[in-house]
């Protein structure tokens, strides 16, 4: 008498990878789209209707301008998940495991400092002194309004303020400072986990550098032979 064979259990689906938090500059994207639209409009018009050397000059200018505008406006982004921080700057991409991040600093620019001391600017999270000033003014007005609020029905005074419907919980912050606060929270959550650090990866954006360099060389040749 033979024992019936049971089919092996179906393999479990892999656990979904944690989703990246993506931070980008909306102002930079809007400005980049506008600049690219103007450059393409003028460049294509010169290519189609230009005479003599004009189409070649327009082609060289487009090869130089379009990659650089894309690099400095549309390309910058910061991706953060539970394991690493990936910084996509105009001309390179830097990947840092959280265990290799030494600090996240904010001053006149936002930057990440690796445990080796290397500093990488976060182009996608620009610092706006005007936005900080507006946030400070809103916070001052809100604090003054809470201080004038009578105790009891609407809430407490300054000594015992609590969140109410329609107001923010915590101080008013500029958008870039909020992003840095979130990144610092992710960094703090990874401290003391004992996970291996891994290597810091830096890759140059040759897909941006190559066409821009080709456009610059072509422009130089055209001007030199003109």
């Amino acid at each position: 008498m033979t024992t019936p064979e049971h089919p092996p259990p179906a393999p479990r689906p892999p656990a979904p990878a944690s989703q990246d938090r993506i931070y980008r500059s909306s102002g930079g994207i809007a400005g980049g789209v506008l600049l690219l639209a103007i450059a393409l409009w003028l460049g294509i018009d010169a290519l189609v209707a230009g005479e003599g050397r004009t189409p070649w000059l327009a082609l060289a200018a487009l090869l130089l301008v379009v990659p650089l505008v894309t690099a400095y406006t549309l390309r910058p982004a910061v991706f953060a998940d539970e394991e690493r921080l990936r910084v996509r700057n105009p001309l390179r991409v830097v990947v840092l495991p959280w265990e290799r991040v030494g600090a996240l600093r904010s001053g006149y620019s936002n930057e990440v400092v690796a445990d080796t001391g290397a500093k990488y600017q976060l182009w996608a999270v620009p610092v706006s002194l005007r936005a900080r000033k507006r946030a400070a003014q809103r916070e001052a007005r809100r604090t003054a309004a809470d201080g004038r609020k009578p105790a009891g029905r609407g809430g407490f005074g300054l000594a015992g303020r609590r969140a109410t419907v329609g107001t923010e919980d915590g101080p008013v912050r500029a958008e870039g400072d909020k992003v840095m606060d979130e990144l610092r929270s992710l960094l703090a959550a990874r401290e003391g986990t004992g996970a291996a650090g891994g290597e810091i990866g830096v890759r140059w954006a040759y897909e941006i550098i190559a066409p821009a360099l080709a456009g610059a060389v072509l422009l130089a040749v055209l001007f030199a032979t003109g």
Side-chain angles (χ1 to χ4, degrees):
M1 184 174 179
T2 60
T3 304
E5 295 183 359
H6 296 283
R12 295 183 179 181
S18 58
Q19 295 293 325
D20 283 345
R21 301 186 186 186
I22 304 175
Y23 305 97
R24 307 183 73 178
S25 171
S26 56
I29 293 174
V33 170
L34 179 60
L35 289 175
L36 284 176
I38 295 173
L40 291 174
W41 173 44
L42 296 176
I44 293 174
D45 181 69
L47 282 171
V48 174
E51 298 178 356
R53 294 160 49 89
T54 302
W56 287 102
L57 288 171
L59 177 61
L62 286 176
L63 281 174
L64 176 62
V65 170
V66 170
L68 292 181
V69 171
T70 302
Y72 284 91
T73 59
L74 305 183
R75 177 180 168 83
V78 174
F79 305 86
D81 60 17
E82 297 300 325
E83 302 297 330
R84 64 181 184 172
L85 179 69
R86 183 159 61 97
V87 181
R88 192 172 70 190
N89 281 341
L91 299 181
R92 61 181 177 176
V93 177
V94 182
V95 179
L96 300 101
W98 285 114
E99 289 74 19
R100 301 298 303 274
V101 176
L104 289 157
R105 296 177 180 172
S106 297
Y108 291 105
S109 65
N110 292 315
E111 60 185 18
V112 56
V113 183
D115 57 0
T116 60
K119 300 177 183 179
Y120 306 101
Q121 187 175 349
L122 305 181
W123 282 78
V125 190
V127 170
S128 173
L129 298 180
R130 181 178 298 179
R132 284 181 176 175
K133 182 178 180 180
R134 288 199 299 264
Q137 290 172 345
R138 290 198 301 269
E139 175 64 14
R141 288 195 297 266
R142 193 181 73 168
T143 301
D146 288 348
R148 292 192 300 267
K149 186 181 298 183
R153 198 167 182 181
F156 304 99
L158 284 176
R161 187 174 67 189
R162 62 182 176 87
T164 57
V165 177
T167 62
E168 298 180 4
D169 187 12
V172 179
R173 302 272 283 164
E175 191 62 32
D177 294 333
K178 290 181 182 179
V179 171
M180 294 301 290
D181 289 343
E182 290 184 18
L183 294 178
R184 291 189 184 100
S185 297
L186 289 173
L187 176 60
R190 298 297 300 172
E191 291 180 352
T193 59
E199 295 296 327
I200 299 175
V202 179
R203 181 183 69 84
W204 289 96
Y206 294 107
E207 66 275 14
I208 298 291
I209 298 172
L213 184 60
V217 171
L218 182 55
L219 272 179
V221 170
L222 289 172
F223 283 125
T225 59

